[in-house]
Every structure is written in structure tokens, then in C-alpha cells.
Amino acid sequence: MELDFDAIAEGYHQNPAATMSLHSAAYTEAEWFELEQKAIFAKTWQWIGHVEKVRDPGSYVATEVAGMPIAVVRDNDGTLRAFYNVCKHRAHALLSGTGTTKNIVCPYHAWSYDLTGQLTGARRTANLIDFDTADICLDQVQVAEFGGFVYINLDLSAAPLHEQAGDLAEEIAQWAPDVSDLTFAHRLTYDIASNWKNVVDNFLECYHCHVAHKDFVSLVDMDTYKVTTHGIYSSHMAEAGKSENSAYSVADATVTDHAVWWLWPNTCLMRYPGRGNFIIMHIVPVAPGVTRETYDFFLETAEPNQAELESIAYIDDVLQTEDIALVESVQRGMSTPAFTQGRIVHDPAGSGLSEHALHHFHGLVLESYRKELQP
């Protein structure tokens, strides 16, 4: 199948008040999903984790980005580095999970690298012709510390995250000044029968909230809900509700605002009412109709207090149950001949009841498609 950019972009308009949504083919057809791995995920800044995981020299995290094995390491001079997690001898993975090491030793044949990625030892190679360990180094990728977290980018030509993200770091510092000092406390994981873009779409609008999230709209003051789009992110801000809510107790809350950001393409950063906290919702594409979603909770202590346990239970048992049912239903509908695309609902005032952040997201998706298909 030859991908047709003009066909997939049909109906999209620069004005959010005059646009249709992204075509359903982008959510259902394997060819578009495969294109996204190259055009989007291999060229954007991808969330890895909190800086606490790689704060000390020798600390590392091994992970996967756009199907590629990656290791992030803090070297002995304090520089954060990221490499393809692939030995230069026979391509075996070098590191796994998280931990601390003095050097990087391949578990296959024990080739050894220092923490800068330079090969320092290779067993039984003294008799090899034209072989010098000084000529061999692990292939690096871009890495950045940003807003209390670590991100990598496989594209060596991509602009630095702090340049692309404009004022996002300053906004996070304003609303969550303690983010770097928080610690991991809990993870929720979901396998969702929906395309990753449907999960992002659902996150980016609260037009559905009064209908589908009765408890959430009692937690925040929806009259103050404001959505603002920027270059590669959008902000979603609201004050906490002023009366008793049905979601979870915020009686002793020190954080009294709902401050949320979406960072292109698949990272959601959240500060909920309660004690000092930060939540990362990471949306990972698995297949055209399958998404893995994780919620990582970073709190003042590794053990959540009672109110935080209630908030985690609310997200897990109520909010996520509601949202997953929504996006899975949408995915089923998009797979029928009854739907191709729908109208974006736009409020010029930028309220939470507007879908203009979807329009912003769809524009970034289409621009990535265009660059790949019409270079």
C-alpha cells in the first residue's frame, strides 16, 4: 500500500474552528502505524524516567524507544550519556533494568566499555589484524535532563529539547518546584485495545468530562479550566474544586491546582491536588490497535499516605476504567465503514470544553507524515 499524504490530510484546516479530525485510517491501518515509528517516535524526545534513577556516577537505565534498545548512563564526570544498548562485537544487549556499574561489560563475550561508551577491553584479540580498542565506541543518541526527568532522542540532528519546548521547563518549575526532589512511589500499567493517538486525543480534551467523569469534575473547578497550545506541548490548568468532591479527599492538600501538560508526542505530565506530587502518563504504541499506558507516581515519600492511596485508587478504579472504555469504543467505531473523520469542537476562549488541543496534536502528526512522505 502506498501512503497518500494528501488523502490523509484531507479535511484538516489550520483554523481549529473549521477543521475535521484526523482520518480514521491513521488509527487503524498498519502502514500508518509503521510510518509513525520512523517519522514520529524515532525523531522526537521520548521520556525515560525521573532523574533519581541516574543521579549518581555509574547509575544506569536500560529501556526501549521506537523499538530500539537504549541505555542511559551517568559517567564518572557526572555527564549523562545515552547509547544504543548494543555491543559492537556481536550485537548482544549490554545492560538490563536499572542499577549501578563501574563499567559496561557485555554478558555474552565480556567485551568491556567505560561509562563514556569507549571500548576498553576485548578478550583474546591481541592477534587480530587492524584491531584497536580505541577505534570502537558505542553509538550515542541525544539525552537531556528536563523538568526533573530524563528524555532521549534517536535523531542526532533534532534540536535540543529545551529549545523545542519553549517555556515548558519554566512552567513546570513554577507549578511543581519540588519535582526533582520527589521519589518514585507507584506504577499503574494498562494494555489498551486502542491506537495510541486515540489515547492522546482523549487526554487532550475535557469536552467529555462532564459526561463521562462525574467525579473528576467535582475535583476541579471546571469554570477555571484553561487549555493553551504551544509549539510541541499544551497546558491544561484548573483550580481545585472549592467544595467536597467525590474523587478523593484533598482536605490536607498543599497542592491546590490541577496543572497538566502534554509533551509531543506521547508524554503527559500531571500535578494533581494533594500533597507534593508529579504523575507521568506515558503512552507507548504497541500495534495499530494496541497501546501500553503507564502511570508513574512521584511523591514526597516512597510510601503513599492514605490520601495518596485514595487518589491512586481513584485513578486506577474509576478514571482509567472510564477513559479506557471510551478509547476502546472509539477504536471499534473507527474500524467500521460508518466513520472516517468528525468535526473538531472549538471554543475561542480556550476552555476545557474545547477540542483545539486535539487539532494542535493532529497538525503535528500530519507535519511528521508530510516530512517523511514528501521530503
Side-chain angles (χ1 to χ4, degrees):
M1 172 183 171
E2 184 175 345
L3 297 177
D4 186 340
F5 174 76
D6 291 334
I8 205 73
E10 185 178 1
Y12 178 83
H13 196 284
Q14 291 293 331
N15 184 348
T19 193
M20 301 291 284
S21 64
L22 196 58
H23 276 253
S24 59
Y27 297 79
T28 60
E29 295 180 0
E31 291 82 1
W32 291 107
F33 180 84
E34 291 165 7
L35 179 76
E36 289 165 354
Q37 303 311 302
K38 298 183 297 180
I40 297 177
F41 292 97
K43 295 183 177 179
T44 53
W45 287 95
Q46 292 291 306
W47 180 81
I48 300 299
H50 195 277
V51 293
E52 70 175 347
K53 289 291 186 183
V54 286
R55 189 166 275 150
D56 300 323
S59 56
Y60 67 86
V61 173
T63 187
E64 185 176 289
V65 174
M68 299 291 114
I70 299 297
V72 178
V73 180
R74 180 80 64 179
D75 74 16
N76 289 324
D77 293 330
T79 300
L80 195 62
R81 299 178 181 273
F83 317 99
Y84 284 95
N85 190 20
V86 176
C87 184
K88 303 299 282 187
H89 173 221
R90 293 273 298 283
H92 196 281
L94 294 163
L95 297 169
S96 61
T98 62
T100 303
T101 186
K102 293 182 178 179
N103 52 16
I104 301 169
V105 180
C106 181
Y108 195 5
H109 298 101
W111 279 33
S112 180
Y113 305 82
D114 67 22
L115 299 181
T116 73
Q118 177 64 51
L119 182 66
T120 55
R123 297 167 49 245
R124 305 185 69 83
T125 57
N127 295 325
L128 297 186
I129 298 170
D130 295 330
F131 180 85
D132 187 346
T133 58
D135 296 334
I136 299 175
C137 191
L138 299 178
D139 289 10
Q140 299 200 30
V141 299
Q142 291 202 72
V143 63
E145 296 179 60
F146 183 89
F149 294 91
V150 175
Y151 296 80
I152 70 102
N153 196 320
L154 300 180
D155 183 2
L156 295 177
S157 67
L161 180 54
H162 72 271
E163 291 182 9
Q164 291 192 38
D167 295 332
L168 177 56
E170 288 74 15
E171 290 184 26
I172 293 172
Q174 176 187 348
W175 294 98
D178 57 349
V179 63
S180 295
D181 299 323
L182 300 175
T183 190
F184 174 77
H186 194 73
R187 167 172 277 196
L188 301 172
T189 303
Y190 309 93
D191 289 318
I192 303 172
S194 183
N195 184 269
W196 71 277
K197 296 186 296 299
N198 270 326
V199 180
V200 174
D201 285 349
N202 182 72
F203 180 84
L204 290 177
E205 52 92 355
C206 221
Y207 183 44
H208 71 281
C209 289
H210 286 92
V211 180
H213 299 315
K214 304 294 187 183
D215 300 301
F216 178 81
V217 297
S218 72
L219 177 65
V220 304
D221 181 354
M222 289 301 296
D223 290 337
T224 67
Y225 205 116
K226 178 79 171 177
V227 178
T228 308
T229 61
H230 309 268
I232 64 164
Y233 76 99
S234 55
S235 61
H236 307 249
M237 303 294 185
E239 297 175 9
K242 302 300 190 295
S243 57
E244 287 292 317
N245 74 81
S246 56
Y248 61 88
S249 174
V250 293
D252 298 320
T254 55
V255 176
T256 57
D257 293 290
H258 170 80
V260 170
W261 301 265
W262 166 77
L263 176 62
W264 160 257
N266 60 326
T267 304
C268 306
L269 310 107
M270 299 176 278
R271 176 88 155 178
Y272 269 32
R275 196 167 60 145
N277 71 91
F278 213 82
I279 307 167
I280 299 290
M281 184 174 115
H282 195 213
I283 301 166
V284 181
V286 176
V290 182
T291 299
R292 179 162 294 117
E293 182 181 89
T294 57
Y295 264 77
D296 283 328
F297 294 81
F298 299 92
L299 306 174
E300 293 180 12
T301 57
E303 292 296 327
N305 65 20
Q306 185 57 41
E308 288 161 345
L309 289 172
E310 290 178 15
S311 69
I312 292 170
Y314 160 68
I315 290 173
D316 192 21
D317 299 335
V318 179
L319 189 63
Q320 279 298 97
T321 299
E322 294 166 345
D323 275 332
I324 290 171
L326 293 172
V327 299
E328 291 186 339
S329 178
V330 168
Q331 187 70 24
R332 290 191 295 270
M334 285 185 167
S335 301
T336 71
F339 184 87
T340 302
Q341 57 188 155
R343 190 62 185 262
I344 293 291
V345 175
H346 178 236
D347 174 9
S351 75
L353 303 182
S354 177
E355 295 178 322
H356 61 285
L358 268 76
H359 169 260
H360 173 238
F361 169 49
H362 295 173
L364 291 170
V365 170
L366 288 173
E367 179 61 12
S368 294
Y369 288 172
R370 185 196 63 75
K371 286 181 178 178
E372 195 71 23
L373 296 172
Q374 301 177 342

